Amino acid sequence: MPVFDPAFDISYEAGSFPPAFEIPTFPASVQRYITSLSAAGLMYYSLNDRVLINSGDDFEFESDILFDSNGGHVLTEKGGGTSRFAFASNGDVYIGTLKIGTISNLGVLSDNKLHKMVVRQISNIFTISFDGNLGLTYNQAIPVLRIDALGSSIDVATGIPYFSGILKDAKIWTGGDRNNGTLLHMPIDEDWKTSTDLHDAEGNVVGSAINITENEADFYTLIDDGTAWQSATRTIQIAGGV
Amino acid sequence: MWSIYKTEQRSVEGSEAWELSKRFPFAGSHDGVNTVFVATLPDAVDPFILPSELPNGDALSNDDQAVIAAKWLYLQSDKALWLTKSQALMLFEHPAHRLWCAKYNNDQSDQFESDYNYVGDFLRSVNSAVPWPEFSVQLTPESARGLMLQGLAQA
């Protein structure tokens, strides 16, 4: 931290800094809470308002994601519905009850690192990518997606559990993609100490944390030129770095 | 610490599970029989605390802890099972838990067979008299669950 030294208090006329004098810049450290979900505890984020994506609608979903080899539900419908976007442990990808393909390297991706996952449907072509690399393409309109929750399981006996790992900085663009759609941005950076409210980037309450306590959130600092998050007990590498 | 109660206890007014359900209304169940809470009730009466080591300090294996937990959960007790988060995560990943929940889809036949054999090998290592038929494609998850219950009673 810079220390103010009164002996070095030189007054200048407004706008007349000497050219040789450079104001040192100290990049502020980036810090935030990151929550780890546990399927064992049936943890998820519940949304107050349903995000409805009809078959054929353009949309885009992006999130930093760290998941284990069991796969899990990422986007789901509550209340006994069957709409969902989920990975099975063998990499199979489900939209609702429809298996649309297989992520062949799911095992590689469950490497305890944060990956940037982008899921989008534009002009009836559905794609999933990780860290900018295409993981799956489905050349048909997917079934309707009714999104009420991030991370929960639904009542179909598929053996796919709740989500275990991290979902952060979730962004959903509806009615288009990131360039022209309507954005719902959920940083998911709460500490859950006094409230289970889930906020969007503007601070509005958009949902709540279910079965999640402050024990699941740790305070992290971005380190190593932005290639990892570090808390007092854990370092999370960011795949692909900055 | 986390706690597990019989799901039916949640509807018993004044019970510990009923109290915890007010804080965690969406606490869930993996097996339909027991409900997992990610907290404990401070004034719970006589909770069973899942041990991680023997009285002499020797660590209990994951299999040993799984058997102790399974035997306790098999009892129709209204008391809580208390366990640490790491124990809960371990039990959730244990083959016996998957076999007990019996939620395998068609693509998980290898997982089902592996879990079945793992649990059978362990139960027979404790008591070689435990009946445990060879795995076959005719075996259903529900029947395997029944075999495990019988085996636990003898292990």
Side-chain angles (χ1 to χ4, degrees), chain A residues 24-36:
Chain A
T25 58
F26 297 90
S29 59
V30 179
Q31 296 178 306
R32 56 166 293 157
Y33 280 91
I34 297 176
T35 298
S36 295

Side-chain angles (χ1 to χ4, degrees), chain B residues 130-144:
Chain B
V130 169
W132 200 259
E134 289 294 312
F135 183 85
S136 74
V137 292
Q138 283 77 36
L139 188 72
T140 66
E142 290 73 23
S143 57

Side-chain angles (χ1 to χ4, degrees), chain A:
Chain A
M1 291 287 292
V3 177
F4 177 66
D5 182 356
F8 197 63
D9 181 16
I10 303 172
S11 297
Y12 297 97
E13 291 181 16
S16 64
F17 278 123
F21 185 84
E22 293 184 3
I23 299 173
T25 58
F26 297 90
S29 59
V30 179
Q31 296 178 306
R32 56 166 293 157
Y33 280 91
I34 297 176
T35 298
S36 295
L37 301 178
S38 162
L42 302 105
M43 301 173 186
Y44 62 97
Y45 305 107
S46 173
L47 303 184
N48 292 344
D49 297 317
R50 168 173 290 179
V51 177
L52 178 64
I53 297 164
N54 286 309
S55 181
D57 282 358
D58 289 354
F59 83 98
E60 184 165 351
F61 171 73
E62 176 187 285
S63 181
D64 294 339
I65 186 169
L66 182 155
F67 52 95
D68 68 15
S69 58
N70 292 321
H73 286 84
V74 180
L75 305 172
T76 48
E77 174 184 14
K78 296 181 298 189
T82 59
S83 186
R84 61 174 172 164
F85 165 60
F87 296 100
S89 57
N90 61 0
D92 289 349
V93 179
Y94 287 88
I95 302 290
T97 56
L98 176 68
K99 175 183 157 184
I100 62 165
T102 303
I103 300 287
S104 58
N105 61 342
L106 189 70
V108 175
L109 292 166
S110 56
D111 54 2
N112 217 26
K113 295 180 180 178
L114 272 173
H115 295 271
K116 180 75 72 183
M117 181 177 73
V118 175
V119 179
R120 63 201 304 257
Q121 175 169 259
I122 304 297
S123 301
N124 291 333
I125 296 177
F126 180 85
T127 57
I128 303 172
S129 66
F130 293 94
D131 307 318
N133 301 311
L134 196 58
L136 183 149
T137 299
Y138 183 70
N139 290 311
Q140 300 177 52
I142 60 167
V144 61
L145 266 178
R146 294 178 290 271
I147 303 169
D148 297 323
L150 308 178
S152 75
S153 182
I154 57 176
D155 294 332
V156 287
T158 59
I160 302 176
Y162 281 64
F163 185 85
S164 278
I166 295 168
L167 286 169
K168 61 181 276 291
D169 290 325
K171 300 172 184 171
I172 304 175
W173 291 270
T174 52
D177 61 9
R178 68 181 60 215
N179 297 312
N180 54 15
T182 301
L183 170 64
L184 169 61
H185 178 196
M186 295 166 281
I188 316 179
D189 57 357
E190 291 83 351
D191 61 13
W192 318 120
K193 286 179 178 171
T194 57
S195 166
T196 57
D197 288 343
L198 175 70
H199 299 87
D200 65 12
E202 285 73 45
N204 304 304
V205 176
V206 294
S208 55
I210 304 297
N211 300 325
I212 298 171
T213 71
E214 63 185 89
N215 298 322
E216 274 61 61
D218 275 336
F219 193 59
Y220 286 83
T221 299
L222 196 61
I223 61 168
D224 295 343
D225 298 327
T227 59
W229 291 99
Q230 187 174 58
S231 75
T233 58
R234 183 183 181 188
T235 300
I236 304 170
Q237 298 296 327
I238 302 171
V242 179

Side-chain angles (χ1 to χ4, degrees), chain A residues 36 38-44 68 70 88-90 92 94 99 157-161 164 210-213 215-216, chain B residues 1-2 23-30 36-39 85 88-89 92-93 98 102-108 111:
Chain A
S36 295
S38 162
L42 302 105
M43 301 173 186
Y44 62 97
D68 68 15
N70 292 321
S89 57
N90 61 0
D92 289 349
Y94 287 88
K99 175 183 157 184
T158 59
I160 302 176
S164 278
I210 304 297
N211 300 325
I212 298 171
T213 71
N215 298 322
E216 274 61 61
Chain B
M1 295 286 278
W2 291 12
R23 183 180 168 198
F24 298 101
F26 299 104
S29 173
H30 296 293
V36 179
F37 293 96
V38 294
K85 179 180 176 181
L89 300 184
F92 180 71
E93 298 283 343
R98 287 192 294 268
K103 292 179 180 175
Y104 298 96
N105 65 16
N106 293 335
D107 295 337
Q108 290 181 297
Q111 181 78 70

Side-chain angles (χ1 to χ4, degrees), chain B residues 101-119:
Chain B
C101 291
K103 292 179 180 175
Y104 298 96
N105 65 16
N106 293 335
D107 295 337
Q108 290 181 297
S109 55
D110 290 346
Q111 181 78 70
F112 176 36
E113 181 176 357
S114 172
D115 292 345
Y116 179 82
N117 290 332
Y118 185 97
V119 171

Side-chain angles (χ1 to χ4, degrees), chain B residues 2 13 36 46 50 61 69 94 97-98 118 121 126 137 139:
Chain B
W2 291 12
E13 190 169 342
V36 179
D46 296 333
L50 183 65
S61 70
H94 197 278
H97 178 259
R98 287 192 294 268
Y118 185 97
D121 288 347
V126 177
V137 292
L139 188 72

